[in-house]
């Protein structure tokens, strides 16, 4: 994971060239109204980076002919 926002760097230990180890914590508010598999295009993903929780949106990828995204990062 690359972190370019300098505000997020406070208290986070750098490893190599601005890359950090992160622990995936899940999807923000998953299971609440409007945050379920039917709304996966709008998910916010939670991570722990050296004790600091951060939330990121991910690139959903490109749409196919049927209007479905390919989710390249999530399917990696």
């Amino acid at each position: 994971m690359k972190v370019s926002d300098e505000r997020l760097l406070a208290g986070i230990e750098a490893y190599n060239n601005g890359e950090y180890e992160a622990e995936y914590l899940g999807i923000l508010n998953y299971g609440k109204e409007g945050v379920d598999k039917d709304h996966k295009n709008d998910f916010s993903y939670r991570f722990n980076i050296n004790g600091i929780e951060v939330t990121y949106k991910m690139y959903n990828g490109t749409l196919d002919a049927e209007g479905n995204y390919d989710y390249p990062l999530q399917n990696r």
Side-chain angles (χ1 to χ4, degrees), residues 1-56:
M1 167 187 306
K2 288 262 188 194
V3 177
S4 59
D5 187 337
E6 292 296 324
R7 294 170 297 168
L8 296 177
L9 298 179
I12 298 176
E13 183 178 346
Y15 289 93
N16 296 315
N17 298 324
E19 292 186 14
Y20 303 85
E21 287 191 22
E23 175 186 9
Y24 174 66
L25 300 175
I27 296 165
L28 182 66
N29 297 320
Y30 190 80
K32 291 187 178 181
E33 184 175 341
V35 187
D36 54 34
K37 66 179 182 153
D38 295 330
H39 298 92
K40 62 187 174 187
N41 296 337
D42 300 316
F43 283 169
S44 293
Y45 298 87
R46 298 171 46 233
F47 296 90
N48 176 336
I49 303 175
N50 283 2
I52 298 172
E53 185 173 323
V54 294
T55 305
Y56 295 104

